[in-house]
């Protein structure tokens, strides 16, 4: 094991001898672990292996400090080449070689079928092809932001960076459109500290790449403004020279496209697409390893694997908490104020920039060509370096912002709900799986987007995020509560979604006047607030339905003399189970939401009542079919979500 740092112009004979010895052992390990597990991806692992070995022999990485702030970040986007990744990491002391072989793809092991960050040296859980370059862009942006002047546009500053970001990919993967999105953003923001590597073995699961989906890979990268270096991926000197040129940097990001052979080193595997994802048969393993020059120890490893106790569910992923912020005092919108939550969000973001982005950038914000609509203008003006305009490329922005949130920056990503959640659900799902700390603030949620129609009326975002295990969900009732929520999520770790509509609405008031969410009422995740008390029934409302619910309370009392409890359920994950149980004790519960009632608040309440074994009458008001274009108030009325509709429903139920 040695470290060169890409300093020598050429590799010495001793270096090549050492690398070749490592390749033989790592290739042997690849075949052994895949055959032992009887599943995995040996072919691409063997074609990418030389690149991995050279990178770990030269990049600024240290097994004694795998999360050092100034390390180079090495991402393996085609995470199915986990055998090559694990064998390389074990060769350089990041993990135990025997453990990686006997534990590969075994339940409870850290050595999953696709790379996972529980293994030291792995930077991101990958496997869904096409996202790795976006991850690398997020890390490269972080490297640039470390020393950036907060008051100047990042594009106008020098290309200095604290470290390099390297992303390895397959050639079949280049068919993914998100890669082009990432390439363009990297060029726009001068990420010359970003290096891409394409393992061009010309094969994918379905056969030849040119047969499955023809493309000119080099021309595509060049057309997006990257420098392209092509080389022989199995010639140590040629590959080293390409990486050295890329690592030493230039005026643009660099991609190294290496001509390689799937299954390199074993004649019956070479250039056969079936070995993309097929193990070498047990009876052929001796011959395969002999060709490599290794020693077959599979019987020994099999005995160890068979003697192991069954694994346990789950394992630790390292956390990368964001910095603590100065969030400032709450801004109070007085009773009678009519404004939108997104404007309140914009005001807080401006204050966060003023209070934190002075000496250096602590808070960054991504937009997707909607800066004005999501009210990030003031943040952008106050902290130009912290504002990242990702364009109409939401998939890339979702992933890149997720990675940036793990690099020591409080990171917001704002767009419309339909784009930030529904369109990019898989990206947000993987952000959660990777323990990012993203603050996803989406406006224009629900049918409140009105005239734009059903393509933009996102009524499934709560259900989608609830189907993950890692996203908190908050939907404010008014500008005051929005102000509190944004200040809370800005200063804590984890993935937080904050959703809001487009329209202006009146501030929620106390029964005796004055803003309910005044300076004395903060936001606590998992806590609901009773806005109007009553024991004759309860309306549990969220977001833009809270105002109509409060108005319905007065209509119901005027018509029947009965007092119905009004509860603001702004925190949908975590949610207030006690508030639900207490509401059920009134004998009647109506949920109200600008969302699909099966997967939003209605679903949550029904599930919780069932889990607690509570029997009560439950009705769920929401968007139960595709809506239409129209004024939001007309849409609400059509679904019985206005004050009259809610009141009529309760009066009928209680009569």
């Amino acid at each position: 094991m040695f470290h060169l740092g890409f300093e020598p112009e050429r590799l010495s004979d001793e270096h090549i001898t050492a690398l070749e010895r490592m390749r033989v052992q790592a290739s042997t390990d690849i075949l052994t672990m895949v055959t032992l597990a009887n599943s995995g991806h040996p072919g691409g692992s063997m074609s990418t292996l030389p690149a991995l070995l050279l990178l770990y022999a030269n990049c600024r990485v240290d097994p004694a400090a795998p999360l050092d702030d100034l390390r180079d970040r090495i991402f393996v986007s085609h995470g199915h080449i986990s055998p090559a990744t694990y064998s390389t990491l074990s060769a350089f002391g990041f993990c135990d070689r025997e453990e990686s072989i006997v534990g590969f793809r075994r339940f409870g092991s850290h050595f999953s079928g696709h790379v996972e960050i529980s293994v030291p040296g792995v930077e991101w859980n990958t496997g869904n092809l096409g996202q790795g370059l976006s991850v690398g862009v997020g890390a490269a942006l972080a490297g640039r932001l470390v020393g950036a002047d907060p008051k100047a546009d990042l594009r106008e500053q020098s290309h200095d960076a604290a470290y390099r970001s390297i992303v390895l990919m397959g050639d079949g993967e280049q068919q993914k459109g998100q890669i082009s999105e990432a390439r363009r953003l990297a060029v726009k923001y001068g990420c010359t500290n970003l290096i891409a590597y394409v393992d061009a073995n010309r094969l994918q699961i379905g056969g030849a790449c040119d047969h499955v989906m023809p493309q000119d890979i080099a021309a595509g990268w060049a057309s997006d403004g990257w420098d392209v270096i092509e080389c022989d991926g199995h010639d140590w000197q040629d590959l080293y020279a390409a990486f050295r040129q890329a690592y030493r940097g230039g005026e643009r990001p660099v991609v190294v496209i290496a001509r390689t052979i799937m299954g390199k080193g074993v004649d019956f595997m070479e250039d056969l697409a079936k070995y993309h994802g097929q193990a070498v048969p047990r009876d052929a393993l001796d011959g395969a390893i002999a060709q490599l020059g290794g020693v077959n120890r599979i019987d020994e490893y099999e005995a160890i694997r068979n003697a192991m106790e069954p694994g346990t569910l789950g394992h630790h992923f390292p956390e990368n908490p964001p910095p603590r912020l100065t969030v400032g005092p709450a801004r109070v919108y007085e009773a009678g104020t009519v404004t939108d939550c997104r404007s309140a969000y914009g005001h807080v973001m401006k204050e966060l920039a003023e209070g934190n982005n002075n000496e250096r950038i602590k808070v960054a914000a991504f937009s997707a060509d909607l800066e004005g609509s999501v009210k990030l203008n003031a943040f952008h003006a106050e902290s130009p370096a912290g504002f990242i305009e990702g364009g109409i490329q939401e998939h890339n922005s979702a992933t890149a912002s997720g990675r940036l949130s793990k690099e020591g920056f409080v990171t917001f990503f704002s767009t419309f709900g339909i784009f930030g959640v529904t369109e990019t659900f898989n990206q947000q799902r993987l952000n959660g799986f990777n323990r990012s700390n993203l603050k996803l603030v989406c406006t224009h949620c629900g049918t409140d987007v009105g005239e734009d129609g059903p393509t933009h009326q996102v009524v499934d975002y709560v259900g989608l995020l609830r189907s993950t295990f890692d996203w908190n969900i908050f939907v404010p009732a008014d500008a005051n509560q929005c102000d509190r929520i944004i200040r809370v999520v800005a200063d804590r770790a984890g993935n937080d979604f904050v959703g809001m509509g487009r329209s202006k609405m009146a501030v929620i008031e106390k029964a005796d006047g004055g803003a309910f969410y005044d300076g004395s009422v903060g936001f606590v995740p998992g806590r609901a607030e009773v806005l109007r008390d009553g024991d004759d029934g309860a309306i549990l409302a969220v977001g833009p339905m809270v105002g109509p619910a409060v108005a319905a309370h007065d209509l119901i009392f005027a018509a029947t003399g009965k007092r119905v409890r009004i509860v603001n359920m702004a925190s949908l994950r975590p949610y207030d189970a006690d508030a639900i149980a207490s509401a059920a004790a009134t004998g009647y519960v109506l949920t109200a939401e600008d969302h699909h009632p099966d997967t939003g608040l209605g679903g949550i309440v029904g599930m919780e009542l069932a889990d607690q074994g509570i029997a009560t009458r439950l009705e769920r008001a929401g968007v139960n079919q595709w809506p239409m274009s129209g004024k939001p108030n007309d849409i609400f009325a059509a679904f019985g979500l206005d004050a009259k509709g809610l009141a009529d429903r309760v009066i009928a139920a209680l009569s």
Side-chain angles (χ1 to χ4, degrees):
M1 189 168 62
F2 55 89
H3 188 267
L4 299 177
F6 291 114
E7 290 297 329
E9 289 189 12
R10 291 176 54 84
L11 295 171
S12 68
D13 291 343
E14 291 79 8
H15 293 146
I16 292 176
T17 299
L19 286 165
E20 190 61 23
R21 184 167 57 247
M22 295 171 75
R23 185 193 67 82
V24 169
Q25 183 61 68
S27 296
T28 300
D29 293 347
I30 289 168
L31 296 185
T32 302
M33 68 176 72
V34 173
T35 298
L36 185 60
N38 197 30
S39 69
H41 299 79
S45 290
M46 294 167 76
S47 59
T48 309
L49 182 60
L52 281 166
L53 292 172
L54 267 181
L55 287 171
Y56 278 90
N58 286 277
C59 289
R60 188 167 55 190
V61 291
D62 183 357
L67 295 177
D68 182 80
D69 288 344
L70 297 180
R71 71 192 183 282
D72 290 333
R73 277 68 164 162
I74 301 176
F75 301 98
V76 179
S77 182
H78 51 329
H80 59 266
I81 66 152
S82 54
T85 306
Y86 300 150
S87 62
T88 298
L89 290 172
S90 67
F92 285 92
F94 284 85
C95 61
D96 183 78
R97 177 169 165 261
E98 180 179 286
E99 184 182 355
S100 69
I101 294 172
V102 301
F104 180 61
R105 285 181 169 239
R106 186 179 186 277
F107 179 75
S109 168
H110 294 284
F111 299 94
S112 179
H114 289 74
V115 296
E116 291 187 10
I117 55 178
S118 58
V119 177
V122 175
E123 293 279 359
W124 195 259
N125 303 323
T126 60
N128 298 52
L129 296 177
Q131 296 191 33
L133 188 64
S134 297
V135 178
V137 170
L141 284 169
R144 294 213 57 215
L145 286 171
V146 166
D149 175 2
K151 301 299 184 182
D153 191 308
L154 190 62
R155 293 171 293 176
E156 299 170 358
Q157 301 188 45
S158 73
H159 291 181
D160 293 342
Y163 48 79
R164 291 169 180 79
S165 174
I166 302 100
V167 182
L168 295 96
M169 294 170 282
D171 50 356
E173 181 178 5
Q174 304 307 299
Q175 295 156 19
K176 285 277 193 173
Q178 186 172 337
I179 291 176
S180 292
E181 295 183 9
R183 292 193 304 229
R184 290 190 285 268
L185 191 72
V187 170
K188 175 183 177 180
Y189 284 100
C191 294
T192 58
N193 57 328
L194 178 61
I195 301 168
Y197 171 85
V198 177
D199 178 53
N201 62 31
R202 308 176 313 286
L203 296 172
Q204 57 190 96
I205 293 176
C209 294
D210 284 345
H211 174 74
V212 175
M213 185 53 60
Q215 65 178 144
D216 188 333
I217 294 174
W221 286 83
S223 69
D224 282 330
W226 285 58
D227 286 335
V228 179
I229 303 173
E230 299 187 68
C231 69
D232 183 339
H234 296 300
D235 182 308
W236 290 113
Q237 293 288 16
D238 201 25
L239 184 59
Y240 176 81
F243 273 139
R244 184 174 185 269
Q245 180 181 340
Y247 193 85
R248 293 168 75 85
E251 295 301 312
R252 302 194 293 181
V254 181
V255 60
V256 174
I257 302 175
R259 300 179 299 276
T260 63
I261 298 171
M262 180 171 284
K264 175 67 174 177
V266 177
D267 57 9
F268 64 80
M269 293 179 66
E270 290 187 354
D271 274 333
L272 286 182
K274 72 175 185 177
Y275 284 110
H276 166 87
Q278 179 176 308
V280 171
R282 186 70 173 263
D283 59 8
L285 189 62
D286 267 337
I289 291 178
Q291 287 189 46
L292 293 170
V295 177
N296 185 5
R297 296 175 56 195
I298 194 169
D299 291 338
E300 175 185 339
Y301 291 129
E302 184 176 47
I304 297 171
R305 184 181 176 103
N306 290 341
M308 295 169 66
E309 293 293 325
T312 57
L313 184 65
H315 45 250
H316 173 70
F317 283 177
E319 305 290 341
N320 300 74
R324 299 303 304 271
L325 298 183
T326 299
V327 298
R331 174 190 289 243
V332 177
Y333 299 85
E334 298 297 340
T337 301
V338 177
T339 188
D340 49 353
C341 287
R342 54 197 177 116
S343 291
Y345 166 56
H347 288 312
V348 179
M349 290 300 291
K350 180 177 185 291
E351 291 179 27
L352 291 177
E354 291 171 339
N356 299 278
N357 288 359
N358 297 305
E359 299 300 320
R360 66 182 183 90
I361 295 292
K362 288 186 179 180
V363 184
F366 275 72
S367 174
D369 193 38
L370 292 169
E371 176 186 348
S373 296
V374 299
K375 305 299 184 181
L376 285 175
N377 314 65
F379 176 90
H380 185 183
E382 179 64 29
S383 184
F387 178 77
I388 307 296
E389 175 53 76
I392 310 172
Q393 305 185 143
E394 292 90 353
H395 297 87
N396 173 65
S397 290
T399 302
S401 61
R403 178 62 201 193
L404 183 61
S405 76
K406 290 192 68 172
E407 296 285 4
F409 299 90
V410 175
T411 307
F412 288 80
F413 173 36
S414 289
T415 182
F416 293 178
I418 194 71
F419 308 130
V421 180
T422 307
E423 182 171 339
T424 58
F425 172 68
N426 187 44
Q427 283 73 14
Q428 304 299 4
R429 170 181 173 270
L430 290 182
N431 280 338
F433 184 43
N434 276 285
R435 307 297 193 270
S436 63
N437 302 294
L438 186 59
K439 310 307 166 186
L440 177 61
V441 181
C442 289
T443 68
H444 296 65
C445 291
T447 62
D448 186 50
V449 73
E451 293 89 342
D452 284 349
T455 61
H456 282 53
Q457 292 164 339
V458 55
V459 294
D460 53 359
Y461 61 95
V462 175
L464 287 169
L465 292 173
R466 279 184 60 219
S467 73
T468 72
F469 304 99
D470 315 281
W471 279 93
N472 304 303
I473 308 168
F474 309 125
V475 184
D478 68 358
N480 279 322
Q481 191 173 43
C482 182
D483 176 277
R484 313 301 182 274
I485 290 175
I486 297 301
R487 294 181 197 276
V488 167
V489 301
D491 196 34
R492 70 183 211 148
N495 293 294
D496 295 313
F497 169 84
V498 184
M500 61 197 73
R502 175 179 64 181
S503 301
K504 294 181 178 181
M505 51 191 178
V507 163
I508 302 297
E509 297 184 20
K510 302 173 185 176
D512 57 358
F516 184 93
Y517 293 102
D518 57 18
S520 67
V521 182
F523 176 74
V524 178
R527 186 187 74 186
E529 285 91 24
V530 176
L531 306 180
R532 299 289 187 273
D533 210 352
D535 295 318
D536 296 316
I539 301 177
L540 306 185
V542 63
M545 293 301 99
V546 174
V550 170
H553 170 276
D554 298 339
L555 294 175
I556 295 165
F557 181 74
T560 68
K562 294 182 178 181
R563 294 193 180 276
V564 174
R565 186 178 308 169
I566 307 300
V567 184
N568 177 14
M569 300 290 292
S571 181
L572 296 175
R573 180 191 274 168
Y575 61 82
D576 192 334
D578 291 339
I580 294 173
S582 178
T586 68
Y588 172 77
V589 174
L590 172 65
T591 60
E593 59 193 306
D594 185 17
H595 191 278
H596 195 311
D598 289 353
T599 63
L601 176 60
I604 291 171
V605 171
M607 176 189 69
E608 183 60 31
L609 293 176
D611 285 349
Q612 292 194 42
I614 297 174
T616 194
R617 183 172 180 183
L618 171 66
E619 291 191 62
R620 298 171 300 130
V623 183
N624 53 15
Q625 67 181 67
W626 288 113
M628 301 172 66
S629 292
K631 298 290 185 185
N633 287 339
D634 292 338
I635 298 172
F636 293 161
F639 283 101
L641 293 171
D642 59 348
K644 181 180 182 302
L646 296 177
D648 288 348
R649 196 158 182 166
V650 174
I651 292 169
L654 297 183
S655 63

